[in-house]
Amino acid sequence: MLVDIHNHILPGLDDGPESLEEALLLAENAVANGITHVIATPHHRNVKYINSPISVKEAVNWLNDELSKRSIPLHILCGQEVYFHNEMLQNMEDNLLTLGESGKYLLLELPTNYLPTFIFDILLELQFSGYIPIIVHPERCRFLRKDKQQAYELVKRGVLFQVTAATVVGVNGWSMQKFAKNLIKHNLVHFIASDAHHYKDRPFLIKDAYKYIQKKFSPQYVTYFLDNAKHVLEGSLLQPIPPISFKKNYKS
Ligand SMILES: [Fe+2]
């Protein structure tokens, strides 16, 4: 079983595939990467897109039917990539989907330029209510690249980080790759996911990313990331490796 917890495979909902044909090509690309399950996570509540749970569920059922008609061995589950907003907890019941609808893991996108003012309070509220926030592509956040200790502080408080496969292999540039590697070294990464949008322009690249991690870090990291993604699919608790501070002699 190989699970991808972040991608935009559903056609017509956001900046992912524009047609069923493109979605099927992207699905074939997932299969070529060894992926068996993808949690579809269309954008929700960013500046451009609103994708209600019902619209995501309908699109997932439809795409699963189309995949099985063509014997493409891939199973799609529901999710959303939720843009961080203050009323998240109030919206959990009716407007937000947890990953794989397990009621546990929530995929969150932060602004790229600043850490939202009430973020620690809101994350805590979510955690008290039993949710586990996963922050997507922290390597894209300029404020975290500038102040790495903030990344540590977030993870120290129980937030999980997902780095994009394309970043790991250097497609998103040298500085993001360097930062992502630094996060991995400090045990601040819990998932590698594709954030795939298009079979040509933004494909899965998961296989390449895991190969890279196996070579530059260790096979144990690959096993850790693979197992963590399975926990998300199953809605079970994962055991994060304790994070390492960026400050020398840091006492928490
Ligand atoms: Fe995304």
Side-chain angles (χ1 to χ4, degrees):
M1 183 196 279
L2 204 157
V3 184
D4 184 47
I5 67 160
H6 177 188
N7 60 79
H8 301 262
I9 196 167
L10 300 174
L13 293 193
D14 60 6
D15 51 348
E18 286 179 7
S19 62
L20 174 61
E21 287 65 35
E22 282 189 359
L24 293 171
L25 287 166
L26 191 54
E28 279 167 359
N29 174 240
V31 173
N33 271 263
I35 294 166
T36 55
H37 296 74
V38 303
I39 303 177
T41 51
H43 290 290
H44 182 54
R45 289 198 58 142
N46 70 356
V47 276
K48 264 183 154 177
Y49 304 105
I50 297 279
N51 279 300
S52 68
I54 189 81
S55 64
V56 176
K57 286 178 194 180
E58 280 174 8
V60 164
N61 289 338
W62 172 69
L63 187 56
N64 272 327
D65 283 348
E66 297 297 330
L67 290 170
S68 71
K69 272 187 219 165
R70 290 161 180 84
S71 304
I72 298 174
L74 188 69
H75 188 69
I76 318 279
L77 294 103
C78 297
Q80 286 167 325
E81 178 178 3
V82 181
Y83 196 80
F84 185 86
H85 57 284
N86 288 353
E87 317 78 42
M88 265 185 325
L89 186 60
Q90 295 80 331
N91 284 337
M92 275 313 303
E93 205 129 298
D94 301 323
N95 288 309
L96 301 183
L97 277 169
T98 50
L99 294 179
E101 297 178 88
S102 68
K104 201 169 274 314
Y105 296 93
L106 185 64
L107 205 62
L108 286 186
E109 183 179 22
L110 296 185
T112 46
N113 288 326
Y114 63 94
L115 190 69
T117 318
F118 299 112
I119 187 164
F120 288 109
D121 298 332
I122 291 160
L123 292 173
L124 202 62
E125 269 184 4
L126 287 167
Q127 287 168 310
F128 270 137
S129 302
Y131 300 109
I132 302 173
I134 301 175
I135 290 179
V136 298
H137 35 65
E139 72 273 18
R140 269 204 225 166
C141 297
R142 285 192 200 99
F143 61 91
L144 293 179
R145 293 208 300 270
K146 236 174 147 182
D147 181 1
K148 298 183 190 66
Q149 191 63 10
Q150 258 182 352
Y152 170 81
E153 295 300 337
L154 283 163
V155 172
K156 186 79 187 153
R157 285 168 166 81
V159 169
L160 304 176
F161 275 0
Q162 173 260 303
V163 157
T164 303
T167 305
V168 172
V169 296
V171 171
N172 293 329
W174 177 82
S175 79
M176 276 200 219
Q177 186 191 33
K178 188 181 167 208
F179 182 44
K181 283 162 73 175
N182 218 339
L183 290 174
I184 294 173
K185 270 184 212 155
H186 287 78
N187 297 337
L188 298 174
V189 179
H190 307 88
F191 308 96
I192 306 298
S194 72
D195 198 8
H197 280 67
H198 190 267
Y199 70 102
K200 265 193 200 154
D201 303 332
R202 289 174 76 178
F204 276 87
L205 293 177
I206 284 273
K207 214 181 191 177
D208 291 344
Y210 282 139
K211 258 191 214 162
Y212 185 93
I213 291 165
Q214 177 154 345
K215 200 173 154 200
K216 301 275 179 183
F217 291 89
S218 73
Q220 282 80 6
Y221 271 106
V222 175
T223 309
Y224 176 63
F225 295 140
L226 289 170
D227 284 349
N228 287 349
K230 272 190 227 162
H231 279 295
V232 170
L233 184 80
E234 288 159 3
S236 52
L237 278 179
L238 64 88
Q239 198 57 256
I241 303 172
I244 299 167
S245 171
F246 285 94
K247 287 185 182 168
K248 277 185 187 148
N249 305 319
Y250 183 85
K251 298 231 176 12
S252 57

